[in-house]
Amino acid sequence: MLKRQNPSSPEHSRELAADGGALSMSHNDSRSVFNLSQLVLSAGQIKPSPALKHSKITYFEVEIVDVQSKKQICIVDKVSPASTLLDVKHKFHKACPQWYPSRVGLQLERNGPFLKDSISIQSLAVSSIITLYFTDLGQQVGWTTFFLTEYTGPLLIYLLFYIRLSTIYDQVESRKNFRHPVVHLACFCHCLHYIRHLLETLFVHKFSEGHTPLKNMIKGCAFYWGFTSWMAYYINHPRYTPPSFGHKQVSYAALAFLMCEAGNHFINVALAHQTNSGNRTCFPSPTYNPFTWLFLLVSCPNYTYEAGSWISFTVMTQTLPVGIFAFLLVIQMSLWAQKKHKLYLKRFYPEVGRKAAMIPIIF
């Protein structure tokens, strides 16, 4: 219980003098101060106002705006903070069935990059209303479908030319001319190459749930299928002439082709093993397998082996269409390798800094 001091006591007078003035306080004033202090002590901790208690946002509203016309398409309401952008795309698809999630591209800014499906809605929010810009990405296909279609075509097309259909070659000329052994070897190597790609697509590579536009698959199929038809027509033609240096040229080139195919497979297995194990913090290191030692020189050895396969196939068949196809493929893969190399430099600079992108450079 608090004890009230007498205002007229000497101790109280000294306290008032120490505060800088001889202040007088009436008996009623001291009683009111005493009652106020008792009220504060008995009230305990001051509670927050009800407005602060409910200030946390429980749901978001996502406004979908057309990137070209800037007109609002719809509003996706009741989006929880734990939702991802893919959840928003599914709700958007329910409101607008003509746009399924894989063909919907959403941007935070009109000229900004497309947002990934895994991004959290809460990380994009500045307020309870989020504005996203919509772009129709067109009809989409899965990556597995993309590669299976792209690689199955060349395999079947080459076999059609190999059996020399009557609609392609003259049957009298086909029976009359003897097939050189390199024609059979070229068919074996070509089929081996695409069968390896198909098996790796099904059992080695692990593709994300992402998609790619259908027009990209059409372009890829037109490139591979068209060049396969051109190459197979000349290699399997009844008037095809063997390489200039004969058996020795074919043997060495075929051996180099098989080695590059094996190296490409083991590199893809090593990359897939790193992805499946979740160890993405370090650059893939070579193992006891000699085919993986190329990791010491380049950052994208799978492209190096792929280029080696087609250069070897060019030497083995000594055909102009194969050489043009190999030349264009090496240019394209070098561009892909440079792009990947830049990403590797950001993530694994000490390990990748001295490596080349695709073509080994030995100092």
Side-chain angles (χ1 to χ4, degrees):
M1 187 174 181
L2 296 176
K3 183 178 180 180
R4 186 177 60 180
Q5 293 183 350
N6 190 354
S8 60
S9 62
E11 292 81 5
H12 186 68
S13 300
R14 284 195 295 267
E15 290 176 1
L16 291 175
D19 288 337
L23 301 175
S24 62
M25 183 180 294
S26 65
H27 182 70
N28 293 332
D29 293 336
S30 64
R31 178 176 292 180
S32 62
V33 172
F34 175 74
N35 293 336
L36 180 61
S37 64
Q38 276 191 328
L39 180 63
V40 172
L41 290 174
S42 62
Q45 187 178 1
I46 300 176
K47 295 182 179 180
S49 61
L52 293 176
K53 184 177 180 180
H54 299 285
S55 62
K56 186 177 180 180
I57 299 173
T58 55
Y59 291 104
F60 293 100
E61 288 185 357
V62 180
E63 180 189 22
I64 308 296
V65 179
D66 186 78
V67 71
Q68 298 294 336
S69 63
K70 299 182 184 179
K71 294 182 180 180
Q72 182 189 98
I73 300 176
C74 72
I75 293 181
V76 181
D77 57 353
K78 292 185 178 181
V79 179
S80 64
S83 300
T84 61
L85 197 69
L86 183 60
D87 299 328
V88 174
K89 288 183 178 182
H90 282 292
K91 291 187 176 183
F92 178 57
H93 174 55
K94 290 182 180 179
C96 304
Q98 67 270 29
W99 293 308
Y100 51 89
S102 60
R103 72 181 292 171
V104 174
L106 296 177
Q107 303 161 274
L108 198 59
E109 299 176 355
R110 290 189 64 196
N111 298 324
F114 291 109
L115 301 173
K116 294 182 179 180
D117 290 345
S118 59
I119 194 169
S120 173
I121 289 297
Q122 194 171 15
S123 63
L124 302 175
V126 179
S127 63
S128 60
I129 300 178
I130 306 171
T131 301
L132 297 177
Y133 294 94
F134 161 77
T135 300
D136 184 11
L137 300 177
Q139 192 171 356
Q140 305 285 301
V141 293
W143 284 109
T144 302
T145 305
F146 176 89
F147 288 113
L148 289 179
T149 306
E150 192 175 71
Y151 296 144
T152 304
L155 179 64
L156 299 179
I157 290 173
Y158 196 97
L159 291 175
L160 292 177
F161 283 91
Y162 176 74
I163 61 178
R164 290 183 176 178
L165 294 176
S166 58
T167 55
I168 302 175
Y169 302 111
D170 181 72
Q171 290 299 304
V172 177
E173 193 175 15
S174 298
R175 294 192 196 99
K176 184 176 46 173
N177 293 342
F178 171 75
R179 290 198 190 192
H180 194 273
V182 71
V183 175
H184 304 291
L185 183 60
C187 181
F188 170 78
C189 292
H190 190 275
C191 293
L192 177 66
H193 177 78
Y194 284 102
I195 289 174
R196 177 184 64 81
H197 273 303
L198 291 172
L199 293 177
E200 288 177 353
T201 301
L202 294 173
F203 303 109
V204 177
H205 299 300
K206 300 297 180 183
F207 301 104
S208 62
E209 296 299 326
H211 297 76
T212 185
L214 178 63
K215 61 182 180 180
N216 289 347
M217 189 179 76
I218 296 176
K219 290 179 182 178
C221 290
F223 178 77
Y224 281 97
W225 295 15
F227 266 102
T228 299
S229 302
W230 193 23
M231 293 186 298
Y233 176 79
Y234 282 97
I235 296 175
N236 297 284
H237 198 280
R239 297 183 182 180
Y240 169 75
T241 55
S244 303
F245 297 96
H247 178 72
K248 187 177 291 187
Q249 178 179 343
V250 173
S251 300
Y252 287 135
L255 180 61
F257 177 87
L258 295 176
M259 291 181 63
C260 289
E261 287 294 302
N264 202 341
H265 172 70
F266 287 119
I267 292 296
N268 289 332
V269 170
L271 293 174
H273 177 72
Q274 183 196 30
T275 303
N276 296 338
S277 61
N279 184 19
R280 298 185 180 183
T281 58
C282 59
F283 187 77
S285 57
T287 62
Y288 62 88
N289 188 340
F291 290 103
T292 62
W293 294 351
L294 199 57
F295 273 122
L296 297 172
L297 301 176
V298 296
S299 59
C300 302
N302 52 332
Y303 293 145
T304 308
Y305 281 123
E306 184 78 9
S309 294
W310 285 108
I311 292 174
S312 303
F313 194 76
T314 303
V315 176
M316 181 177 64
T317 58
Q318 196 172 310
T319 308
L320 180 62
V322 183
I324 296 176
F325 176 74
F327 175 74
L328 296 177
L329 206 63
V330 168
I331 293 177
Q332 180 62 70
M333 287 187 296
S334 63
L335 296 176
W336 290 339
Q338 289 291 338
K339 186 176 180 180
K340 280 192 175 183
H341 187 70
K342 291 180 180 179
L343 295 176
Y344 287 151
L345 286 175
K346 294 179 181 179
R347 295 176 58 187
F348 318 110
Y349 174 71
E351 303 171 78
V352 187
R354 295 178 178 269
K355 302 179 191 296
M358 189 182 83
I359 301 175
I361 301 176
I362 303 175
F363 295 96

